[in-house]
Amino acid sequence: MRIFAFIHLLVSIPHGYSNYVETKAGQFFSSGHTNNWAVLVCTSRFWFNYRHVANTLSVYRSVKRLGIPDSHIVLMLADDMACNYRNPKPATVFSHKNMELNVYGDDVEVDYRGYEVTVENFLRVLTGRLPPSTPRSKRLLSDDRSNILIYLTGHGGNGFLKFQDSEEISNMELADAFEQMWQKRRYNELLFIIDTCQGASMYERFYSPNLMALASSQVGEDSLSHQPDLAIGVHLMDKYTFYLLEFLEEVHPASQANMNDLFKVCPQSQCVSTPGHRTDLFQRDPGSVLITDFFGSVRKVEITKDTINLTSPVEPPIQRQVEHSFVADISSQKPKQKDWHPPDGFILGLWTLILLVFFQTYGIKHLKHIF
Amino acid sequence: MAAHRCGLSLVCILFFSSLAHPSRCDTLEKANDNTATKRSISEVNTDGSVAGEDMNERQWQSTDVEVNRSDGTKNSETFTPAPAKDQFQEELVIRPLHSGDIYASFQFRTLWDTDFLQEGQKKVSHYRLFPKSLGQVLSKFSVQELHISFTQGFWRTMQWGQPFIPSPPGAELWVWFHHTVSDVDGNWKELTNVLSGIFCASLNFIDMTNTVQPSASFKPLGLGNATDHRFLRYATLPREIVCTENLTPWKKLLPCGSKAGLAVLMKSEKLFHSSFHSQAVHIRPICQDEQCTSKAWELRQTLNVVFDHYTSGQGKKEWSLFKMFSRTLTEACPLASSSKVYVDITDNPEGELFELSPATPLLSQAVVLGDRRTYSVYDLTRAETFGQLRSFNLLLRWKGDSGDMLRPLLHAERYVAGFGLQTGEIHTVIYNNHPYRAFPVLLMDSVPWYLQLYIHTLTVTSKSRDNKPSYIHYQPAKDRHRPHLLEMLIQLPPHSMTEVTVQFERALLKWTEYTPDPNHGFYVGSSVISALVPSMVAMSTNFTQDQPLFSSFVPVKEESSYFVRVYTEPLLVNLPTPDFSMPYNVICLTCTVVAVGYGSFYNLLTRTFQVDEPSPPLAKRLANFIRRIRGVPLLA
């Protein structure tokens, strides 16, 4: 009897193992993306906006470190801080005071610089409508299996982001650009991070599927800068991106950190502003999305010595038909009404006081004259 | 990476030796199979059944031919000569300057025996030392000569002398196209876009509003009997910033990259912390020998940097490679046929001015820029240069005070005179410091259209007398279409100062044409002054392959003069700038005035007035309602 059970166990182990391999293979083919792109934009000009360039370069550095090559990164810097004549240490951009970390480095390729960073160029890069003579390094050549990371930083307000002190992009334009990208199947999933004042207003109007957005502050709040360096004379980084960089420095290509950890970066106690995020347009659960799905270029490799017979059809990636309302509906939608709450203690007390005064003035016995 | 390239080049050489004739089904896999191991060839020859297809058999045959070449037994008709040869040389010249600063000039030259532009031949597809990105650009746009430079800072001729390779501040690009090109403007537009991608620079801002076709100034530096200036395009971007993002792709064009050889010294943190930094790429076809029987393409990458005595040198008159570049040299580039470091010791014949270590017995004399200079040479391809520590660090220690520098013979300045934002005057001052010789100079000015020049006010005066130029070529500007181009051949009297003045008026631009920071001003590119300056020492017109690179850049046609190009300062002019906050202010003010003025007027005209009983307060109304129900008389 015992031997029979033992033999049964022995037989079931390899069977169980091949089942395990098949499920792993199933998972392998059900992953959504095959390549990664990053579009990193700094929209501010002038020396006192050093921190915006440092923000963008820290994200650039992390993204390069985790594997995305320069050919898949479109880096747009609106002004040159590293070789600016006011920089006491030329060819460097620091993110930590006391000059601890040089995020500019020795191997940097800026695709759009100076006056080329305009709203028009940014939208053309996103939608792919560039003049035919544009070189490859300035194009976003993504396809429907690309995961794209878009990072914007600069000065912004409620519903707009300022480009180079002379023009601005509104949240509706950005949402429309992403919709064009979706219609042309230019992305599989898109992560949008914005570090400006009132940044959450920029992702309010998104309506395309597979978009996840993070912002450094809510509407009505300002994003604050982190720390100045007395030798350089300007603020070096913004608070949100500073803690984001700290978080990303812990991430390595094999890390299993997921988006829920990213949402926890820079709580209000550290950031003073309240970071926000939006995941309702995203198909997958944020807890199952790895950081390296967007920030790194990790190739899924599973080594097995068995042959796998894929008899059952492999489940295609989840592609629910998302019914999104027409643009007209969206634009005519009023902002959500606040829910009605019964009056709380203060109002109740106030009314009681009023009634008391009324009865005191007119007196209870005089009421019979009125009624 | 160097070892990688060596291995790769070895495989490629083997591949080329087997590829004796261009076959149609020339797949790389087959060829690699053929050349992977040479020993397999003999095996296959005995066993003829291996090569099944005709193509394969022919390829095996051709390797056979290659191996038994000395026999001359088989000679198929489609046998082409040995593949193109290329060689790479690198050198560094260090010239200590009289003010205590130090000038370092790197030159990397790749010579390639091939022809990009020859029709009828199959396209060049195998690149070894020559960078593929540039080769493809040359063949696609039929470029005869290409010169591009990126400069940060201004070369101070009076303090530093003449540079080996002059360049203006910002970016400068001039290109000679091949005479077969039909649409030069289209090629030029695409070429600037492609180069902006290669060098990470905003060269795409070069368009018809800042491109000129100089008629006499920029003659080809290489081969080419091109005299038709319609195939020449010149543009300069004075505002262009140079930083590490331009150096990174420039370094990647070198065969050894920045991993071995002299390019190891190029660390951006030190290079950009200098008074002057200029990197350039020059591509031209040259003759291989005296009679010009064979031509070759030459690619020169140059990097000139001047380190300041106070900021980089910490005030001490002592320089070393480590102090300048924060690196020392450990080996020459393995792909280089020659790798040398030259130190200019002309002012230090007995060693009384400065001390140079490590000592070297090698000396070389060269006539460059009209002067005979002596150089100490360090050959990096020899192992003994690196000494026991396997590292080479040059040390220059000043002992005495140097006297004044020899004044450069040709020098120029430019500035804007005048006041206000309507008119102004451009003054260009050219100095001829030669004591007794007069010589002509060619002055080229390219002024943007928004500075409208009045050419009737052009005056050229030398020694307070009018000096009429012997050749003037002027192309007026077209608004928003073409800039001004003024070229003049002026004879400079000996030991004199010549002043060229022209008045201009500033245009008012359309509000969308202003840059995001218009109060900074608008740049006007440098003037270019090209001249053949009389030389004090006879220049050598001999053509030798062993000439050091710094003396062989400019071809020498006659021995009594040498070619010099001087760039003036760029100008920064303020145009009348509108207040960009005004549209918002105007809209607010207008709407307020309209609302208050017109609105109240409309109300006065159309409103009718009625007497209205004031409604009783709520308590009375409620009481009246209840009284009505009871049937009791109402309150007042």
Side-chain angles (χ1 to χ4, degrees), chain B residues 281-337:
Chain B
V281 172
H282 302 276
I283 304 177
R284 57 182 179 168
I286 59 165
C287 288
Q288 290 269 53
D289 52 16
E290 196 79 50
Q291 289 81 25
C292 218
T293 45
S294 67
K295 291 190 279 195
W297 279 88
E298 183 196 68
L299 161 71
R300 277 191 196 233
Q301 289 182 251
T302 64
L303 194 137
N304 292 349
V305 60
V306 175
F307 290 105
D308 186 52
H309 168 226
Y310 293 105
T311 51
S312 309
Q314 285 126 32
K316 279 195 288 219
K317 274 192 157 184
E318 191 183 297
W319 289 106
S320 70
L321 279 185
F322 189 78
K323 201 175 185 190
M324 291 197 279
F325 302 108
S326 70
R327 288 285 184 284
T328 57
L329 291 167
T330 49
E331 55 164 344
C333 174
L335 297 170
S337 58

Side-chain angles (χ1 to χ4, degrees), chain B residues 484-498:
Chain B
H484 297 273
L485 174 66
L486 178 62
E487 279 183 279
M488 297 192 286
L489 186 68
I490 308 171
Q491 184 81 1
L492 300 180
H495 206 69
S496 69
M497 176 189 96
T498 306

Side-chain angles (χ1 to χ4, degrees), chain B residues 34-331:
Chain B
N34 294 349
T35 59
T37 43
K38 257 202 148 166
R39 50 187 155 80
S40 66
I41 293 169
S42 47
E43 294 162 42
V44 169
N45 283 339
T46 52
D47 183 15
S49 58
V50 171
E53 300 156 312
D54 261 352
M55 222 38 86
N56 231 352
E57 222 167 339
R58 246 193 287 153
Q59 278 186 341
W60 289 129
Q61 275 186 344
S62 57
T63 52
D64 209 2
V65 169
E66 207 44 42
V67 167
N68 306 330
R69 235 172 112 176
S70 48
D71 297 354
T73 45
K74 269 202 175 142
N75 215 355
S76 73
E77 301 87 31
T78 48
F79 186 81
T80 51
K85 286 195 308 266
D86 47 8
Q87 56 155 322
F88 174 66
Q89 296 164 300
E90 53 178 19
E91 78 173 27
L92 164 63
V93 181
I94 296 181
R95 197 210 292 179
L97 302 168
H98 283 258
S99 50
D101 304 334
I102 196 152
Y103 168 38
S105 169
F106 290 84
Q107 277 207 42
F108 301 91
R109 178 171 90 154
T110 308
L111 261 184
W112 195 18
D113 226 343
T114 184
D115 208 339
F116 291 110
L117 303 173
Q118 196 175 336
E119 293 109 35
Q121 202 180 45
K122 127 179 126 135
K123 269 195 171 157
V124 178
S125 54
H126 175 63
Y127 293 86
R128 187 177 153 245
L129 297 175
F130 201 92
K132 185 171 176 183
S133 48
L134 288 181
Q136 290 181 326
V137 162
L138 293 178
S139 49
K140 178 158 189 224
F141 298 111
S142 308
V143 168
Q144 177 91 358
E145 259 190 49
L146 183 129
H147 300 267
I148 184 167
S149 74
F150 298 96
T151 311
Q152 177 203 61
F154 179 66
W155 182 268
R156 307 194 181 280
T157 317
M158 289 306 273
Q159 286 150 12
W160 301 337
Q162 294 283 4
F164 293 123
I165 318 263
S167 52
E172 186 203 40
L173 171 65
W174 58 280
V175 175
W176 275 96
F177 287 94
H178 203 242
H179 58 86
T180 53
V181 172
S182 52
D183 178 19
V184 182
D185 285 327
N187 274 19
W188 171 249
K189 184 82 199 139
E190 288 194 29
L191 177 66
T192 50
N193 277 309
V194 166
L195 289 175
S196 86
I198 294 176
F199 291 106
C200 287
S202 332
L203 297 176
N204 46 322
F205 285 134
I206 293 178
D207 56 8
M208 298 329 291
T209 57
N210 49 20
T211 309
V212 288
Q213 302 177 31
S215 59
S217 285
F218 285 90
K219 289 294 178 209
L221 285 177
L223 277 189
N225 42 3
T227 46
D228 192 354
H229 65 275
R230 286 180 297 140
F231 294 102
L232 168 65
R233 292 289 184 273
Y234 173 87
T236 170
L237 291 173
R239 186 77 202 269
E240 193 63 20
I241 301 155
V242 187
C243 208
T244 313
E245 65 249 23
N246 304 110
L247 186 65
T248 309
W250 189 92
K251 282 198 284 191
K252 287 184 182 161
L253 295 174
L254 295 171
C256 281
S258 51
K259 301 283 195 302
L262 290 173
V264 158
L265 297 176
M266 295 181 185
K267 290 292 150 197
S268 55
E269 286 188 17
K270 286 290 190 173
L271 283 182
F272 290 103
H273 198 40
S274 56
S275 306
F276 178 82
H277 169 98
S278 168
Q279 61 199 56
V281 172
H282 302 276
I283 304 177
R284 57 182 179 168
I286 59 165
C287 288
Q288 290 269 53
D289 52 16
E290 196 79 50
Q291 289 81 25
C292 218
T293 45
S294 67
K295 291 190 279 195
W297 279 88
E298 183 196 68
L299 161 71
R300 277 191 196 233
Q301 289 182 251
T302 64
L303 194 137
N304 292 349
V305 60
V306 175
F307 290 105
D308 186 52
H309 168 226
Y310 293 105
T311 51
S312 309
Q314 285 126 32
K316 279 195 288 219
K317 274 192 157 184
E318 191 183 297
W319 289 106
S320 70
L321 279 185
F322 189 78
K323 201 175 185 190
M324 291 197 279
F325 302 108
S326 70
R327 288 285 184 284
T328 57
L329 291 167
T330 49
E331 55 164 344

Side-chain angles (χ1 to χ4, degrees), chain B residues 3 34 107 114 118 168 254 373 399 444 492 507 523 532 555 569 574:
Chain B
N34 294 349
Q107 277 207 42
T114 184
Q118 196 175 336
L254 295 171
R373 316 285 300 181
K399 289 196 282 198
M444 188 192 94
L492 300 180
Y523 282 88
L532 279 171
E569 295 94 330
N574 266 336

